[in-house]
Amino acid sequence: WCFRYYYRYICHYNDHFFIRNWAWVSQNVIKKNQVSNFLKLKLTLIFGSISILTLIPLFESNFNAPVTMHRWRQLDWDDFQGFVKPFTGWGAGISSDVFIEFDSVQKKFSAYAAMNNQSSWKRIEVMESKYTLSHEQYHFNITEYHARKLNQQIKNKNLNNESEVNSELYVLRSELRKMQVKYDTESDHSLKRAFQRMWEYKIDSMLNETEDYPLFQENSNIKAFFPDKPQVLLFSLDDEKFTGHILEKYDALFWILDMNFSSTDTSTIESLMVSILAKNGLSDILVYRDSLMTNVIFDSKSKDTLKNEIVVGKWFLGNNTTYWLRNRHPIGKENEEIYKRMGDQFFNSFKVLEE
């Protein structure tokens, strides 16, 4: 009897304990679910509000704006009317491509480069940066170069069938995309300044080689290639004035100067030129007399410590005169080869013509 009573007592007590604890657990689970549901509702309202606030200006501007296409020209930040590309750290992006049109009067196809303003975007913080805008401009310049290239192909192959033209366009667009990617990769989206300048030099050279007019006006004695249009150079030395052409671009300088004198005594010319360099504040002047280029009297390399630049010069013996060619660029071992490549291309383009 005692055992039965004790057993019933224990069972009754355990049942009561279980029921009490189960009620307590259930109440806490319900409370947690209520809190969880409240947090979910709160977060949903917050994200919903943010989404609505974000979408309002989108609908008010770009989503309802008609697509506009601008043909190749110099850009400004107002041309970039799209929304910032999500999940990107870059300051701007341009959307451009090559397109085909048909002239029904002349019965011929032609290609042109155009920019999609609604797909091109910029961040507000870069709108004061001419450097960033220039990077995007050269993306557009690459597109223009390929448009000119396709026009030349249409002319050379005498293409007058739409399917043939579209076939050429398909191949050209593939080349265009590859060059755009290479431009961004090598310049690191313009973060590597020297590589950015090298690409500017390269793109300008490609564009201007497609022009029908020479960038450097040839006279009866010389010709040379500038990647962009040079300005007239006036240089004074000991009350004497000399004329030539100069281009300051790509963080570099290129010039050609007619010194208006000639001598068979090259050592006299060398001494004169070294004294000119010294008077202009240049230091560490080195002279090389073993140039492989035709008509070169000597080369020089010096430093401008005030401007922190390397100055490279070449003196060419012309027809009854001497020409002074110069290239200046920033000092920096990591960039020396890049700027040297630009200077060498300029020097190698120079030729003294026969009378």
Side-chain angles (χ1 to χ4, degrees), residues 35-274:
V35 172
S36 177
N37 290 334
F38 177 75
L39 287 174
K40 287 180 181 178
L41 177 61
K42 193 173 182 180
L43 289 173
T44 300
L45 290 173
I46 291 173
F47 285 116
S49 300
I50 293 174
S51 299
I52 291 172
L53 292 174
T54 303
L55 288 173
I56 286 174
L58 300 184
F59 280 108
E60 287 180 345
S61 55
N62 192 266
F63 283 175
N64 291 327
V67 175
T68 55
M69 305 291 289
H70 283 167
R71 298 201 179 197
W72 180 73
R73 58 174 170 78
Q74 289 298 309
L75 300 175
D76 58 53
W77 283 124
D78 290 337
D79 294 318
F80 296 75
Q81 299 172 7
F83 295 102
V84 176
K85 189 176 180 180
F87 312 113
T88 180
W90 307 121
I94 185 173
S95 174
S96 65
D97 210 337
V98 177
F99 300 91
I100 295 294
E101 62 183 357
F102 180 73
D103 189 330
S104 59
V105 176
Q106 299 185 13
K107 304 294 183 184
K108 68 175 186 178
F109 291 93
S110 62
Y112 65 93
M115 167 192 182
N116 185 322
N117 297 77
Q118 273 63 47
S119 297
S120 303
W121 55 273
K122 85 278 187 182
R123 295 185 185 275
I124 297 176
E125 54 266 30
V126 304
M127 291 182 63
E128 300 298 322
S129 174
K130 293 181 180 179
Y131 181 74
T132 303
L133 181 61
S134 176
H135 176 79
E136 302 305 321
Q137 176 69 60
Y138 276 91
H139 272 297
F140 204 10
N141 292 354
I142 290 175
T143 307
E144 171 63 14
Y145 165 73
H146 282 82
R148 296 184 190 184
K149 182 178 179 180
L150 181 55
N151 279 325
Q152 193 62 47
Q153 291 174 351
I154 292 173
K155 180 180 178 181
N156 293 343
K157 296 180 180 180
N158 194 26
L159 301 178
N160 51 24
N161 181 279
E162 185 175 0
S163 63
E164 293 177 339
V165 175
N166 284 333
S167 178
E168 294 288 338
L169 176 63
Y170 179 82
V171 175
L172 181 119
R173 279 178 168 173
S174 176
E175 296 174 357
L176 169 60
R177 286 190 291 271
K178 289 178 182 178
M179 182 172 286
Q180 298 283 25
V181 170
K182 188 176 182 181
Y183 169 44
D184 267 340
T185 301
E186 292 189 359
S187 69
D188 195 8
H189 297 265
S190 80
L191 295 180
K192 295 180 178 179
R193 189 179 182 94
F195 283 91
Q196 173 66 30
R197 296 312 191 196
M198 179 196 72
W199 267 95
E200 291 172 8
Y201 183 99
K202 177 180 179 178
I203 295 166
D204 281 345
S205 298
M206 292 190 306
L207 272 178
N208 292 318
E209 283 177 347
T210 63
E211 297 287 352
D212 294 329
Y213 56 87
L215 285 174
F216 179 73
Q217 185 62 45
E218 295 181 14
N219 58 30
S220 58
N221 297 318
I222 62 172
K223 70 174 184 178
F225 177 80
F226 285 88
D228 205 349
K229 293 182 180 180
Q231 304 296 315
V232 174
L233 170 63
L234 298 176
F235 184 79
S236 298
L237 178 65
D238 297 333
D239 297 328
E240 290 191 70
K241 294 183 178 181
F242 307 96
T243 60
H245 290 80
I246 185 172
L247 173 65
E248 292 186 80
K249 199 174 180 181
Y250 323 111
D251 293 336
L253 175 147
F254 311 86
W255 86 12
I256 297 174
L257 195 66
D258 186 347
M259 299 304 293
N260 292 328
F261 70 86
S262 179
S263 173
T264 56
D265 185 359
T266 56
S267 61
T268 300
I269 298 175
E270 180 180 322
S271 299
L272 174 62
M273 293 307 163
V274 170

Side-chain angles (χ1 to χ4, degrees), residues 237-350:
L237 178 65
D238 297 333
D239 297 328
E240 290 191 70
K241 294 183 178 181
F242 307 96
T243 60
H245 290 80
I246 185 172
L247 173 65
E248 292 186 80
K249 199 174 180 181
Y250 323 111
D251 293 336
L253 175 147
F254 311 86
W255 86 12
I256 297 174
L257 195 66
D258 186 347
M259 299 304 293
N260 292 328
F261 70 86
S262 179
S263 173
T264 56
D265 185 359
T266 56
S267 61
T268 300
I269 298 175
E270 180 180 322
S271 299
L272 174 62
M273 293 307 163
V274 170
S275 67
I276 292 174
L277 295 177
K279 286 181 181 179
N280 280 267
L282 302 183
S283 61
D284 300 334
I285 301 172
L286 301 175
V287 177
Y288 306 93
R289 304 176 186 83
D290 55 352
S291 176
L292 300 177
M293 295 183 65
T294 306
N295 295 330
V296 173
I297 304 171
F298 66 92
D299 302 339
S300 69
K301 186 175 182 180
S302 53
K303 291 182 181 179
D304 186 332
T305 54
L306 293 178
K307 294 184 177 181
N308 197 37
E309 290 181 334
I310 296 291
V311 183
V312 180
K314 291 183 183 291
W315 280 264
F316 288 79
L317 191 61
N319 299 317
N320 300 316
T321 190
T322 301
Y323 295 99
W324 180 10
L325 275 65
R326 169 177 273 191
N327 169 236
R328 299 178 70 115
H329 59 259
I331 294 175
K333 290 183 178 180
E334 68 279 6
N335 300 327
E336 177 66 23
E337 187 59 34
I338 296 172
Y339 286 106
K340 182 178 182 299
R341 203 182 311 168
M342 297 185 206
D344 287 346
Q345 184 172 335
F346 170 66
F347 291 137
N348 293 333
S349 73
F350 182 80

